[in-house]
């Protein structure tokens, strides 16, 4: 049985901005594999740059796009 959780775009954006270098937003969105990669490479600051890009992407993404990508049951 899969538990369906509703993820919010604003929460993902805040996590990407504040803790994105550690991959917290990836864990929140259910992408544990990428979250672990962010943690492993956080010392290079590359994940921080990627998280800032994700932050801007979340801000410009519509709610419908976000829900289709991260809140769909067929993921």
């Amino acid at each position: 049985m899969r538990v369906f959780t509703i993820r919010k775009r604003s929460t993902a954006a805040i996590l990407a901005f504040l803790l994105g270098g550690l991959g917290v937003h990836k864990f929140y969105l259910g992408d544990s594999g990428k979250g672990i990669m962010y943690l492993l490479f956080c010392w290079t600051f590359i994940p921080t740059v990627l998280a800032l890009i994700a932050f801007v992407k979340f801000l410009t993404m519509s709610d419908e796009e976000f829900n289709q990508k991260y809140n769909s049951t067929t993921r």
Side-chain angles (χ1 to χ4, degrees):
M1 184 173 112
R2 181 180 162 117
V3 177
F4 182 66
T5 58
I6 300 294
R7 296 172 182 96
K8 292 185 175 183
R9 183 173 59 101
S10 58
T11 304
I14 290 169
L15 289 174
F17 183 74
L18 296 176
L19 299 170
L22 298 174
V24 174
H25 65 294
K26 292 294 184 181
F27 288 110
Y28 175 73
L29 295 173
D31 197 358
S32 303
K34 287 185 182 174
I36 291 170
M37 294 302 291
Y38 274 55
L39 275 174
L40 290 174
F41 291 100
C42 67
W43 60 275
T44 65
F45 295 106
I46 293 171
T48 303
V49 173
L50 295 175
L52 289 175
I53 293 169
F55 169 69
V56 172
K57 185 174 88 172
F58 291 141
L59 290 181
T60 59
M61 184 182 285
S62 70
D63 286 332
E64 292 81 22
E65 287 178 292
F66 183 84
N67 288 332
Q68 185 177 20
K69 187 168 184 179
Y70 297 109
N71 286 327
S72 67
T73 57
T74 59
R75 253 185 79 188

